[in-house]
Amino acid sequence: MTRRALALTLVPATFALAACGGGSDATSSAGTKGPITVTASDTACDVARTEAPAGQIEFTVSNKGSKVNEFYVYAAGDRIMGEVENIAPGLTRTFHVEVAEPGTYETACKPGMVGKGIRSDFTVTGASAAPQSDDAKVTAATTSYARYVASQADALLARTTEFVGLVKAGKVEQAKALYPVARSYWERIEPVAESFGDLDPKIDGREDVVEDGMAFTGYHRLEQDLWVKGLQGDSAAIADQLLADVTTIVAEAKKVEFNGLQLANGSKALLDEMATGKITGEEERYSHTDLWDFAANWDGSKGAIAALRPVLEERDAALVASYDKRAAALDALVAKHQKGDGYQLYTELTPIEVRALSDALDAVAEDVAKVAGVVANP
Amino acid sequence: MSPRPEPSATRRSVLASGAGVAVAGAAAGLTYAGRPSSAAAHQSSSGTDATGGTGRAADEPVPFRGEHQAGIVTPAQDRMHFVALDVVTTDPAELSLLLKEWTRAAERMTYGAEATPGGVVGGGPHRPPTDTGEALDLPPSNLTITIGYGPSLFDGRFGLAGRRPEALRELPGFTGDDLDPARTGGDLCIQACADDPQVAVHAVRNLIRIGFGVISVRWSQLGFGRTSSTSTSQATPRNLFGFKDGTANIKAEDGAALAEHVWVDPADVPGDAAWMAGGSYLVARRIRMHVEVWDRTPLQEQEDIFGRDKAVGASLHLPADRRDENAPLDFAAKGVDGQPRIPLTSHVRLAHESQLDGIRILRRGYNFTDGSDGSGHLDAGLFFLAFVRDAHRQFVPMQQALAKSDKLNEYIEHTGSALFAVPPGLGDGEDWGVQLFGA
């Protein structure tokens, strides 16, 4: 159960940008060749031509003012298409910006580097110069991830069935041993499972759900029974309900169709879970098996990134290289805490060990946070 | 299909060449002594001083480049966010690159600009913004960002052992210290001072953000009010005991004292440590003040402990009708009881240069409260910051004298401590990475 709703929201795989709707006429003239001269001062920003055909556009920006200047080409919402910064007084800088879609854009000089800048409209004409994006790779990624989710969901059902059987048979020690194992499959696909709003708190809610007027059921109720209170009169009924709910959610999860952004956002959501719920030791407050969840969230995040890997390698190899390095560092740290077939208890970790895990997580999360932008902008 | 923005990584890696940044031009021939006069010019041109005594209009940036780093003799701003960091990478190239990225972001933020161009919304809807946004539209607010390096950075992890300045070695323990390891030490520090706390916090937060994977926060301290004046243009502020502290501070206008007591002389750092010439050493001490106990202390006792009167900060030997904060302290003067009028164990006497073979320091501390301590008391005090030419020759003997005899010790505890080498300022085109590691 998350404190914040991390459920995957349906984000359209393609998104329309206002600037793309321009419908401007392509008026080719002799004056549209060569670099566009921009004369910037502390109070003015003269752009020699305010129209160019789609594709690569070259600007030559001269700073005639007394302040450091910057030059931007913006799409709607001040999204930066290209910029050149740190143009000192007296200097001239040339830069290229790739604008693939015709439409209305804005140019801006920013004397002194602050504020909205001195803006003008800029029109990009002609036909789209966008390369045909390789959607097939994204589709393959989503298909691959759906297979991963299905395999984890099947294992979740199998292990939960086994766990419920042990609880109902009163085999406390065996149930305790299986508990973190069964939950690992849940944690690997948590963002998917959580997208089924009503079922998530019933399956994965902590005792605090009572505050919201709900009954305390699911894994954590059985965790409390097994580790703290001993099996209760209704433990068997709780176990039956857990199995019924998990059966439902597994069937639903296997039907989900994903898009590329959902994979990206899901891989990040799992890291957010680790940072806010697992590294703090609050998820498994009775069993202290938080590191199992931590490792499983991490596995799930890696699963989504692995599916997207061909897309990312094609579009941002530097990001992949950084991710690989940081992922390996986190892998090595997690491995240090393996114990038998599982992991050390959270209560066995020193503050220094917790901080090391947190540092490595912060590092890899910065890279994973960039994946959605890469997927959305081929 | 959407147009393609510059990837943020690319934008970030287009690092400031620094070539001819406007203020750098002005700073090229600028000595520290030039700064206060230019600050004074800004003050007169803006008419009024609305910045708590820093003498500079809120929209006029403090020059980032120059002979010395800003944030030392810059007239002390009202607010501070200080952070000590550990380096978590083992790769010197990653650290050097981060220092270069920090230079660019720090210079931009000093101008009041976003940490990266268009960082708040320019990356489009699917990327996390590369500037966190809380300082957007705020003026520069006299922001200064000052970097320092702890002794542990030179332990051999990054090939820097040979470049360690000799004076950069851990401080000794002092009587009465109660140092919390979680508030002590650090490989690096960043001091961000501004007249708007949001601007200072934004600066630190964004530098940390840029550094994930390379650095990790070791400890951090907010200061809500300056306790020192570093320019004759500023009035002496008060600490949380209600006293004017640091009346005799070294001021920006006193070039000879700065050269003798604050700036590292080239002769101090021969050979591979020469990169520190023109730098300074920063001593940070988190001093918890038991304000509740102090507040129950009679006025006479409070004044005897400090050695100055509470109302104007004058030497205690002066009669009530001739009290002047800036009048010299007369340590020989005796009261009617024949005892020294400024007590032998008073703070001002023990810390005075005349008692310490001429030792002086540049104080630049801040008052803090970090909430409460769970025992019904404020967790409040003084975040002591001092810049010195050699901490072991200046701060250490001073603190040894204070730790031994200062009556104030009954009311304070040192709970955190760190020493950093603060490199000199950057010239045009230079960055902190090249400065530390060499070209």
Side-chain angles (χ1 to χ4, degrees), chain B residues 15 89 91-103 158 214 431-438:
Chain B
L15 294 162
T89 184
D91 182 353
E94 282 189 2
L95 176 58
S96 183
L97 178 62
L98 173 63
L99 291 170
K100 190 173 179 182
E101 292 184 342
W102 271 355
T103 307
F158 309 105
V214 181
D431 70 71
W432 284 323
V434 171
Q435 183 187 52
L436 176 64
F437 282 92

PDB file of all heavy atoms in Angstrom, chain B residues 15 89 91-103 158 214 431-438:
ATOM      1  N   LEU B  15      28.449  23.183 -20.998  1.00  0.00           N
ATOM      2  CA  LEU B  15      28.796  23.890 -19.762  1.00  0.00           C
ATOM      3  C   LEU B  15      29.254  25.297 -20.048  1.00  0.00           C
ATOM      4  O   LEU B  15      29.755  25.605 -21.112  1.00  0.00           O
ATOM      5  CB  LEU B  15      29.887  23.107 -19.050  1.00  0.00           C
ATOM      6  CG  LEU B  15      29.336  21.771 -18.585  1.00  0.00           C
ATOM      7  CD1 LEU B  15      30.442  20.814 -18.276  1.00  0.00           C
ATOM      8  CD2 LEU B  15      28.453  21.965 -17.368  1.00  0.00           C
ATOM      9  N   THR B  89      30.887   8.573  -5.246  1.00  0.00           N
ATOM     10  CA  THR B  89      31.512   7.899  -6.378  1.00  0.00           C
ATOM     11  C   THR B  89      32.974   7.629  -6.025  1.00  0.00           C
ATOM     12  O   THR B  89      33.528   8.227  -5.102  1.00  0.00           O
ATOM     13  CB  THR B  89      31.448   8.756  -7.663  1.00  0.00           C
ATOM     14  OG1 THR B  89      32.004   7.994  -8.745  1.00  0.00           O
ATOM     15  CG2 THR B  89      32.251  10.049  -7.507  1.00  0.00           C
ATOM     16  N   ASP B  91      35.048   7.606  -8.753  1.00  0.00           N
ATOM     17  CA  ASP B  91      35.619   8.001 -10.031  1.00  0.00           C
ATOM     18  C   ASP B  91      35.953   9.497 -10.022  1.00  0.00           C
ATOM     19  O   ASP B  91      35.052  10.336 -10.001  1.00  0.00           O
ATOM     20  CB  ASP B  91      34.595   7.676 -11.126  1.00  0.00           C
ATOM     21  CG  ASP B  91      35.105   8.016 -12.528  1.00  0.00           C
ATOM     22  OD1 ASP B  91      36.195   8.619 -12.626  1.00  0.00           O
ATOM     23  OD2 ASP B  91      34.411   7.679 -13.496  1.00  0.00           O
ATOM     24  N   PRO B  92      37.236   9.867 -10.044  1.00  0.00           N
ATOM     25  CA  PRO B  92      37.601  11.288 -10.018  1.00  0.00           C
ATOM     26  C   PRO B  92      37.005  12.071 -11.186  1.00  0.00           C
ATOM     27  O   PRO B  92      36.674  13.248 -11.043  1.00  0.00           O
ATOM     28  CB  PRO B  92      39.132  11.273 -10.116  1.00  0.00           C
ATOM     29  CG  PRO B  92      39.550   9.889  -9.800  1.00  0.00           C
ATOM     30  CD  PRO B  92      38.415   8.990 -10.125  1.00  0.00           C
ATOM     31  N   ALA B  93      36.852  11.418 -12.331  1.00  0.00           N
ATOM     32  CA  ALA B  93      36.314  12.113 -13.504  1.00  0.00           C
ATOM     33  C   ALA B  93      34.865  12.547 -13.239  1.00  0.00           C
ATOM     34  O   ALA B  93      34.444  13.628 -13.654  1.00  0.00           O
ATOM     35  CB  ALA B  93      36.388  11.212 -14.727  1.00  0.00           C
ATOM     36  N   GLU B  94      34.111  11.700 -12.555  1.00  0.00           N
ATOM     37  CA  GLU B  94      32.723  12.058 -12.242  1.00  0.00           C
ATOM     38  C   GLU B  94      32.681  13.258 -11.301  1.00  0.00           C
ATOM     39  O   GLU B  94      31.842  14.147 -11.441  1.00  0.00           O
ATOM     40  CB  GLU B  94      31.996  10.873 -11.584  1.00  0.00           C
ATOM     41  CG  GLU B  94      31.551   9.811 -12.553  1.00  0.00           C
ATOM     42  CD  GLU B  94      30.646   8.760 -11.889  1.00  0.00           C
ATOM     43  OE1 GLU B  94      30.353   8.898 -10.682  1.00  0.00           O
ATOM     44  OE2 GLU B  94      30.260   7.819 -12.585  1.00  0.00           O
ATOM     45  N   LEU B  95      33.589  13.251 -10.328  1.00  0.00           N
ATOM     46  CA  LEU B  95      33.627  14.377  -9.377  1.00  0.00           C
ATOM     47  C   LEU B  95      34.031  15.666 -10.090  1.00  0.00           C
ATOM     48  O   LEU B  95      33.423  16.723  -9.883  1.00  0.00           O
ATOM     49  CB  LEU B  95      34.596  14.052  -8.230  1.00  0.00           C
ATOM     50  CG  LEU B  95      34.811  15.171  -7.217  1.00  0.00           C
ATOM     51  CD1 LEU B  95      33.502  15.599  -6.570  1.00  0.00           C
ATOM     52  CD2 LEU B  95      35.818  14.716  -6.140  1.00  0.00           C
ATOM     53  N   SER B  96      35.020  15.566 -10.940  1.00  0.00           N
ATOM     54  CA  SER B  96      35.483  16.747 -11.660  1.00  0.00           C
ATOM     55  C   SER B  96      34.380  17.308 -12.555  1.00  0.00           C
ATOM     56  O   SER B  96      34.145  18.519 -12.618  1.00  0.00           O
ATOM     57  CB  SER B  96      36.720  16.393 -12.490  1.00  0.00           C
ATOM     58  OG  SER B  96      37.213  17.544 -13.138  1.00  0.00           O
ATOM     59  N   LEU B  97      33.658  16.418 -13.214  1.00  0.00           N
ATOM     60  CA  LEU B  97      32.562  16.861 -14.082  1.00  0.00           C
ATOM     61  C   LEU B  97      31.462  17.528 -13.259  1.00  0.00           C
ATOM     62  O   LEU B  97      30.899  18.553 -13.651  1.00  0.00           O
ATOM     63  CB  LEU B  97      31.996  15.671 -14.864  1.00  0.00           C
ATOM     64  CG  LEU B  97      30.814  16.000 -15.784  1.00  0.00           C
ATOM     65  CD1 LEU B  97      31.226  16.987 -16.868  1.00  0.00           C
ATOM     66  CD2 LEU B  97      30.237  14.725 -16.414  1.00  0.00           C
ATOM     67  N   LEU B  98      31.177  16.945 -12.089  1.00  0.00           N
ATOM     68  CA  LEU B  98      30.147  17.551 -11.229  1.00  0.00           C
ATOM     69  C   LEU B  98      30.561  18.966 -10.815  1.00  0.00           C
ATOM     70  O   LEU B  98      29.739  19.892 -10.829  1.00  0.00           O
ATOM     71  CB  LEU B  98      29.911  16.691  -9.986  1.00  0.00           C
ATOM     72  CG  LEU B  98      28.973  17.335  -8.952  1.00  0.00           C
ATOM     73  CD1 LEU B  98      27.572  17.544  -9.522  1.00  0.00           C
ATOM     74  CD2 LEU B  98      28.908  16.502  -7.668  1.00  0.00           C
ATOM     75  N   LEU B  99      31.838  19.133 -10.456  1.00  0.00           N
ATOM     76  CA  LEU B  99      32.301  20.456 -10.038  1.00  0.00           C
ATOM     77  C   LEU B  99      32.147  21.465 -11.179  1.00  0.00           C
ATOM     78  O   LEU B  99      31.829  22.635 -10.966  1.00  0.00           O
ATOM     79  CB  LEU B  99      33.756  20.381  -9.563  1.00  0.00           C
ATOM     80  CG  LEU B  99      33.957  19.620  -8.247  1.00  0.00           C
ATOM     81  CD1 LEU B  99      35.442  19.386  -7.984  1.00  0.00           C
ATOM     82  CD2 LEU B  99      33.330  20.369  -7.081  1.00  0.00           C
ATOM     83  N   LYS B 100      32.348  20.988 -12.399  1.00  0.00           N
ATOM     84  CA  LYS B 100      32.170  21.849 -13.563  1.00  0.00           C
ATOM     85  C   LYS B 100      30.684  22.194 -13.736  1.00  0.00           C
ATOM     86  O   LYS B 100      30.319  23.349 -13.973  1.00  0.00           O
ATOM     87  CB  LYS B 100      32.716  21.122 -14.795  1.00  0.00           C
ATOM     88  CG  LYS B 100      32.809  21.970 -16.035  1.00  0.00           C
ATOM     89  CD  LYS B 100      33.538  21.172 -17.133  1.00  0.00           C
ATOM     90  CE  LYS B 100      33.621  21.991 -18.404  1.00  0.00           C
ATOM     91  NZ  LYS B 100      34.275  21.249 -19.487  1.00  0.00           N
ATOM     92  N   GLU B 101      29.830  21.199 -13.602  1.00  0.00           N
ATOM     93  CA  GLU B 101      28.388  21.449 -13.716  1.00  0.00           C
ATOM     94  C   GLU B 101      27.909  22.381 -12.600  1.00  0.00           C
ATOM     95  O   GLU B 101      27.062  23.249 -12.821  1.00  0.00           O
ATOM     96  CB  GLU B 101      27.611  20.126 -13.656  1.00  0.00           C
ATOM     97  CG  GLU B 101      27.845  19.248 -14.864  1.00  0.00           C
ATOM     98  CD  GLU B 101      27.006  17.979 -14.837  1.00  0.00           C
ATOM     99  OE1 GLU B 101      26.507  17.589 -13.767  1.00  0.00           O
ATOM    100  OE2 GLU B 101      26.850  17.367 -15.899  1.00  0.00           O
ATOM    101  N   TRP B 102      28.451  22.193 -11.428  1.00  0.00           N
ATOM    102  CA  TRP B 102      28.084  23.066 -10.295  1.00  0.00           C
ATOM    103  C   TRP B 102      28.486  24.511 -10.562  1.00  0.00           C
ATOM    104  O   TRP B 102      27.780  25.435 -10.202  1.00  0.00           O
ATOM    105  CB  TRP B 102      28.778  22.577  -9.026  1.00  0.00           C
ATOM    106  CG  TRP B 102      27.991  21.562  -8.257  1.00  0.00           C
ATOM    107  CD1 TRP B 102      26.732  21.119  -8.514  1.00  0.00           C
ATOM    108  CD2 TRP B 102      28.418  20.879  -7.072  1.00  0.00           C
ATOM    109  NE1 TRP B 102      26.360  20.193  -7.577  1.00  0.00           N
ATOM    110  CE2 TRP B 102      27.365  20.019  -6.691  1.00  0.00           C
ATOM    111  CE3 TRP B 102      29.590  20.896  -6.323  1.00  0.00           C
ATOM    112  CZ2 TRP B 102      27.444  19.204  -5.559  1.00  0.00           C
ATOM    113  CZ3 TRP B 102      29.674  20.079  -5.200  1.00  0.00           C
ATOM    114  CH2 TRP B 102      28.611  19.236  -4.823  1.00  0.00           C
ATOM    115  N   THR B 103      29.668  24.683 -11.158  1.00  0.00           N
ATOM    116  CA  THR B 103      30.125  26.041 -11.441  1.00  0.00           C
ATOM    117  C   THR B 103      29.102  26.763 -12.304  1.00  0.00           C
ATOM    118  O   THR B 103      28.714  27.898 -12.033  1.00  0.00           O
ATOM    119  CB  THR B 103      31.479  26.003 -12.172  1.00  0.00           C
ATOM    120  OG1 THR B 103      32.394  25.200 -11.424  1.00  0.00           O
ATOM    121  CG2 THR B 103      32.045  27.403 -12.338  1.00  0.00           C
ATOM    122  N   PHE B 158      40.653  10.038  -4.751  1.00  0.00           N
ATOM    123  CA  PHE B 158      40.509  10.750  -6.028  1.00  0.00           C
ATOM    124  C   PHE B 158      41.844  11.250  -6.581  1.00  0.00           C
ATOM    125  O   PHE B 158      41.884  12.149  -7.409  1.00  0.00           O
ATOM    126  CB  PHE B 158      39.532  11.915  -5.852  1.00  0.00           C
ATOM    127  CG  PHE B 158      38.236  11.479  -5.223  1.00  0.00           C
ATOM    128  CD1 PHE B 158      37.956  11.768  -3.896  1.00  0.00           C
ATOM    129  CD2 PHE B 158      37.336  10.723  -5.947  1.00  0.00           C
ATOM    130  CE1 PHE B 158      36.780  11.326  -3.319  1.00  0.00           C
ATOM    131  CE2 PHE B 158      36.158  10.275  -5.375  1.00  0.00           C
ATOM    132  CZ  PHE B 158      35.881  10.578  -4.056  1.00  0.00           C
ATOM    133  N   VAL B 214      26.901  11.128  -7.322  1.00  0.00           N
ATOM    134  CA  VAL B 214      28.288  11.541  -7.088  1.00  0.00           C
ATOM    135  C   VAL B 214      28.472  11.972  -5.630  1.00  0.00           C
ATOM    136  O   VAL B 214      29.466  11.643  -4.994  1.00  0.00           O
ATOM    137  CB  VAL B 214      28.681  12.697  -8.042  1.00  0.00           C
ATOM    138  CG1 VAL B 214      30.135  13.114  -7.822  1.00  0.00           C
ATOM    139  CG2 VAL B 214      28.474  12.270  -9.491  1.00  0.00           C
ATOM    140  N   ASP B 431      36.630  26.662 -14.009  1.00  0.00           N
ATOM    141  CA  ASP B 431      35.584  25.996 -13.238  1.00  0.00           C
ATOM    142  C   ASP B 431      36.213  25.281 -12.049  1.00  0.00           C
ATOM    143  O   ASP B 431      37.421  25.072 -11.998  1.00  0.00           O
ATOM    144  CB  ASP B 431      34.774  25.028 -14.110  1.00  0.00           C
ATOM    145  CG  ASP B 431      35.564  23.805 -14.522  1.00  0.00           C
ATOM    146  OD1 ASP B 431      35.838  22.956 -13.660  1.00  0.00           O
ATOM    147  OD2 ASP B 431      35.926  23.690 -15.716  1.00  0.00           O
ATOM    148  N   TRP B 432      35.365  24.919 -11.082  1.00  0.00           N
ATOM    149  CA  TRP B 432      35.856  24.336  -9.839  1.00  0.00           C
ATOM    150  C   TRP B 432      36.559  22.988 -10.063  1.00  0.00           C
ATOM    151  O   TRP B 432      37.466  22.627  -9.313  1.00  0.00           O
ATOM    152  CB  TRP B 432      34.697  24.156  -8.853  1.00  0.00           C
ATOM    153  CG  TRP B 432      34.263  25.442  -8.204  1.00  0.00           C
ATOM    154  CD1 TRP B 432      35.066  26.470  -7.817  1.00  0.00           C
ATOM    155  CD2 TRP B 432      32.926  25.830  -7.842  1.00  0.00           C
ATOM    156  NE1 TRP B 432      34.318  27.466  -7.227  1.00  0.00           N
ATOM    157  CE2 TRP B 432      33.010  27.101  -7.226  1.00  0.00           C
ATOM    158  CE3 TRP B 432      31.679  25.216  -7.969  1.00  0.00           C
ATOM    159  CZ2 TRP B 432      31.885  27.772  -6.739  1.00  0.00           C
ATOM    160  CZ3 TRP B 432      30.560  25.879  -7.492  1.00  0.00           C
ATOM    161  CH2 TRP B 432      30.655  27.148  -6.890  1.00  0.00           C
ATOM    162  N   GLY B 433      36.136  22.246 -11.093  1.00  0.00           N
ATOM    163  CA  GLY B 433      36.753  20.943 -11.340  1.00  0.00           C
ATOM    164  C   GLY B 433      38.205  21.074 -11.769  1.00  0.00           C
ATOM    165  O   GLY B 433      39.106  20.450 -11.205  1.00  0.00           O
ATOM    166  N   VAL B 434      38.434  21.936 -12.756  1.00  0.00           N
ATOM    167  CA  VAL B 434      39.799  22.136 -13.240  1.00  0.00           C
ATOM    168  C   VAL B 434      40.654  22.764 -12.138  1.00  0.00           C
ATOM    169  O   VAL B 434      41.822  22.419 -11.946  1.00  0.00           O
ATOM    170  CB  VAL B 434      39.798  23.013 -14.511  1.00  0.00           C
ATOM    171  CG1 VAL B 434      41.216  23.414 -14.892  1.00  0.00           C
ATOM    172  CG2 VAL B 434      39.127  22.261 -15.660  1.00  0.00           C
ATOM    173  N   GLN B 435      40.055  23.671 -11.378  1.00  0.00           N
ATOM    174  CA  GLN B 435      40.794  24.334 -10.308  1.00  0.00           C
ATOM    175  C   GLN B 435      41.289  23.321  -9.265  1.00  0.00           C
ATOM    176  O   GLN B 435      42.429  23.383  -8.817  1.00  0.00           O
ATOM    177  CB  GLN B 435      39.875  25.360  -9.622  1.00  0.00           C
ATOM    178  CG  GLN B 435      40.549  26.179  -8.534  1.00  0.00           C
ATOM    179  CD  GLN B 435      39.533  27.043  -7.811  1.00  0.00           C
ATOM    180  OE1 GLN B 435      38.498  26.582  -7.343  1.00  0.00           O
ATOM    181  NE2 GLN B 435      39.843  28.330  -7.697  1.00  0.00           N
ATOM    182  N   LEU B 436      40.422  22.368  -8.909  1.00  0.00           N
ATOM    183  CA  LEU B 436      40.801  21.403  -7.880  1.00  0.00           C
ATOM    184  C   LEU B 436      41.738  20.324  -8.416  1.00  0.00           C
ATOM    185  O   LEU B 436      42.726  19.977  -7.781  1.00  0.00           O
ATOM    186  CB  LEU B 436      39.535  20.745  -7.294  1.00  0.00           C
ATOM    187  CG  LEU B 436      39.783  19.635  -6.270  1.00  0.00           C
ATOM    188  CD1 LEU B 436      40.465  20.189  -5.017  1.00  0.00           C
ATOM    189  CD2 LEU B 436      38.475  18.940  -5.886  1.00  0.00           C
ATOM    190  N   PHE B 437      41.398  19.800  -9.581  1.00  0.00           N
ATOM    191  CA  PHE B 437      42.156  18.658 -10.091  1.00  0.00           C
ATOM    192  C   PHE B 437      43.364  19.065 -10.931  1.00  0.00           C
ATOM    193  O   PHE B 437      44.205  18.236 -11.244  1.00  0.00           O
ATOM    194  CB  PHE B 437      41.243  17.753 -10.939  1.00  0.00           C
ATOM    195  CG  PHE B 437      40.340  16.880 -10.104  1.00  0.00           C
ATOM    196  CD1 PHE B 437      39.068  17.299  -9.752  1.00  0.00           C
ATOM    197  CD2 PHE B 437      40.782  15.642  -9.657  1.00  0.00           C
ATOM    198  CE1 PHE B 437      38.243  16.498  -8.977  1.00  0.00           C
ATOM    199  CE2 PHE B 437      39.969  14.834  -8.880  1.00  0.00           C
ATOM    200  CZ  PHE B 437      38.695  15.260  -8.541  1.00  0.00           C
ATOM    201  N   GLY B 438      43.424  20.339 -11.312  1.00  0.00           N
ATOM    202  CA  GLY B 438      44.460  20.738 -12.253  1.00  0.00           C
ATOM    203  C   GLY B 438      43.975  20.428 -13.665  1.00  0.00           C
ATOM    204  O   GLY B 438      43.087  19.605 -13.857  1.00  0.00           O
TER     205      GLY B 438
END
